[in-house]
Amino acid sequence: MSKAQRVAIVTGGSRGIGRQVVLELAEEGYALVVNYAGNKADADETMAALAATGAKAIAFQADVADENAVNAMFDAAEREFGGVDVVVNMAGIMPVTPLVELDLDTLDRVIRTNLRGALLVTQQAALRVRPGGAIINTSSSITKFSRPGYTAYAATKGGVEAITLILARELRGRDITVNTVAPGPIDTELFLRGKDEETIARIAAEPPLGRMGTPEDIAPIVAFLAGPGRWINGQVVYANGGAV
């Protein structure tokens, strides 16, 4: 299939890295389903940016941890565009708290979105993505940094990596690649929330490249795995500027 015919679903696609991935794939000629959890203003802004590019796109509000909503999202993609070729799991939350202070409600919320949500979306992707397609999950270099305060987040991302590596093998013979991108610190509202300037400056100085990453650093990696990077399969790609 030509790129102009390919269809991508991007969860968490209304802001941050997800929005940049959406815009990158639009430039590559994909038709897009932009998933968002609840912030319609962000979704509207993203859709306006897509409209300016002439891309075919629809927005779809869905809680990725709700199996009925996820099924409906894939149904909408198939109804609107005829099928699905690429699924990118970008939806996630990142509360930061020491393990001894971690309350169970917060833990359950992180697991529900980051792990259950990724699993449900990936499950539908495995059932519906067409041959020649790609499933791309999102982990985090925090699994290697082991930075204090990120226990719940890192635990869910470790689970996402396990899902990815196993599914790549389960899809033998289907001509579908399954990979995970694991960014380091990225200049987004999700990462910067609650951090003071001194902490941000220290983290930005860690990579040999001497700066914090941006969504524009990550989106081309996703686009490569979605398209030409066919011989990369069952891998975790750490994208952190060399910090680990």
Side-chain angles (χ1 to χ4, degrees):
M1 299 183 70
S2 70
K3 287 180 180 177
Q5 296 171 302
R6 287 168 72 82
V7 179
I9 295 174
V10 182
T11 71
S14 64
R15 59 181 176 176
I17 301 174
R19 175 184 289 178
Q20 192 61 41
V21 166
V22 163
L23 296 175
E24 187 83 19
L25 293 179
E27 288 186 9
E28 295 288 332
Y30 286 78
L32 290 149
V33 177
V34 180
N35 162 258
Y36 67 103
N39 191 323
K40 190 174 184 302
D42 282 345
D44 288 345
E45 186 176 332
T46 301
M47 295 304 292
L50 286 171
T53 72
K56 296 179 180 178
I58 61 171
F60 196 94
Q61 182 178 7
D63 175 359
V64 293
D66 180 336
E67 62 268 36
N68 294 323
V70 169
N71 292 349
M73 178 171 64
F74 277 82
D75 288 345
E78 292 176 345
R79 185 170 57 250
E80 186 75 19
F81 300 122
V84 180
D85 301 289
V86 173
V87 174
V88 185
N89 264 311
M90 282 281 163
I93 59 175
M94 189 172 61
V96 180
T97 185
L99 176 61
V100 296
E101 299 174 11
L102 180 64
D103 66 80
L104 294 182
D105 286 343
T106 298
L107 176 63
D108 290 344
R109 187 163 54 90
V110 178
I111 291 173
R112 177 176 171 81
T113 299
N114 294 4
L115 187 56
R116 175 187 167 97
L119 190 149
L120 288 176
V121 173
T122 302
Q123 184 180 57
Q124 282 301 307
L127 291 169
R128 306 210 205 191
V129 165
R130 296 183 283 208
I135 301 169
I136 304 161
N137 290 323
T138 305
S139 178
S140 170
S141 291
I142 201 69
T143 59
K144 288 188 173 293
F145 289 143
S146 301
R147 203 183 300 278
Y150 289 85
T151 301
Y153 182 72
T156 60
K157 292 306 184 180
V160 169
E161 293 181 11
I163 291 168
T164 298
L165 303 180
I166 293 171
L167 182 60
R169 288 150 182 79
E170 291 180 346
L171 294 184
R172 177 182 293 273
R174 291 273 306 278
D175 190 25
I176 297 170
T177 61
V178 190
N179 292 290
T180 285
V181 177
I186 302 296
D187 188 2
T188 62
E189 190 273 336
L190 177 68
F191 182 78
L192 298 179
R193 185 188 305 137
K195 295 179 176 66
D196 58 37
E197 291 185 9
E198 181 181 353
T199 299
I200 293 170
R202 175 176 52 78
I203 292 172
E206 290 176 351
L209 293 176
R211 63 174 177 82
M212 192 172 292
T214 68
E216 288 80 4
D217 292 319
I218 305 302
I221 301 170
V222 175
F224 180 73
L225 294 174
R230 299 298 302 164
W231 202 235
I232 302 174
N233 189 27
Q235 303 298 314
V236 179
V237 179
Y238 293 95
N240 52 52
V244 292

